[in-house]
Amino acid sequence: MDAIRKQASKLREQVARQQQAVLKQFGGGYGADSVFADEGEAQQHTKLEKLYISTRAAKHFQRDIVRGVEGYIVTGSKQVEIGNKLCEDGKKYGVENTCTSGSTLSRAALSFAKARSLMEKERGNLLKAFGTQVAEPLRAMVMGAPLEDARHLAQRYDRMRQEAEAQAIEVSKRQMKLRETSGNGDMISRLEAAESKLQELKSNMGTLGKEAVAAMTAVEAQQQRLTLQRLIAMVESERSYHQRVLQILDQLEREMVSERQRIEGAPPPVIESSMPPPPSYEEVNGIFMRTPTVAELVETVEHFLAEAIQSYRAESETELNLSTGDYIVVRKVSNNGWTEGECRGKAGWFPSEYIEKRDRVLASKVAQVF
């Protein structure tokens, strides 16, 4: 509609110029150009056109922001719903898990559910902020009275300007007829009435133009200020949301990594001579060249079951390979950090810190030892 209106205005101006050229050719003294001979009036008209285009573009941008935010809220609400369902599933598993080998995963599931609940709460707050701080204020301005009132003033000014153009042409025609004829009192009075109406239109048009320019200028400034403020509010809300979510995720990662390290444990770095070699035959069997101290003797222990808490790779034929989760029958424990045991039909030495004693073991696990 705006394009059609602009095109129609150009056509009217073109017709008016053609009519004025014809009138001037025959010596007309009062053409449409005389209505806008004042430079201030022309500048006012140009400024009003620019203001109209500027406020229209800002209005469309505000509407685009509102539509985008509304779409984001709809999509985000669905994500909150899915996230809360995942939170409930994690909490249910953490409470009801009956795993016989430990509760590590249960604790991790509960931590995950708690963190997810906090994150979805933050997402809900973000969506609420988008609605109240961004969409609602911009929607109110798009549909608000100040903008519509200013645009109506501009449109009234445009119609009055067109009427003044037509009246100026009418005055020129009457002046030409009066010169072509001897003239009479009736023609003169009609010309004077037309000129008087033209002056009145010019006066009203000037006053209305100033009011329209002032109103449109105020609206333009308000549009620029409010839209920028809402964009900043949107950026700040989203930035705060991501910062809080990052804090939640950092805490969750620390908790879950701690649980993983507790059950798996990262193997210590291999350093030459960091651990003494396995006990010798003499040490194991109590054959010494001198009288040994109590600390030097191999501890006498009853056989017990232990579980490998991390893998170990044998470096000699007297050592035993271990994999995480293997069960071992421990037969001897040396005071220098080595233990001798049997696993999967093989016997050998391995570092004591790689196993943990188990008091209860499933029968199926015991069968794997032999």
Side-chain angles (χ1 to χ4, degrees), residues 295-355:
E296 292 173 330
L297 294 175
V298 175
E299 297 181 11
T300 302
V301 297
E302 296 181 358
H303 291 192
F304 64 87
L305 287 175
E307 180 182 356
I309 58 174
Q310 60 189 68
S311 299
Y312 175 72
R313 184 175 181 179
E315 299 181 357
S316 69
E317 295 181 356
T318 61
E319 298 179 14
L320 180 65
N321 287 317
L322 296 178
S323 297
T324 302
D326 283 350
Y327 283 86
I328 309 102
V329 175
V330 176
R331 300 188 298 196
K332 294 179 182 179
V333 178
S334 173
N335 69 322
N336 65 353
W338 287 85
T339 297
E340 193 269 350
E342 181 178 354
C343 177
R344 300 184 185 277
K346 296 182 179 180
W349 291 88
F350 49 85
S352 302
E353 62 185 12
Y354 281 63
I355 63 169

Side-chain angles (χ1 to χ4, degrees), residues 279-294:
S280 66
Y281 175 83
E282 290 78 6
E283 291 176 325
V284 173
N285 293 279
I287 302 175
F288 297 91
M289 299 301 294
R290 60 184 177 81
T291 303
T293 64
V294 176

Side-chain angles (χ1 to χ4, degrees), residues 134-154:
V134 180
E136 292 181 6
L138 291 179
R139 186 187 301 110
M141 185 162 194
V142 169
M143 307 299 295
L147 174 61
E148 293 304 316
D149 290 346
R151 291 171 70 88
H152 288 159
L153 280 175

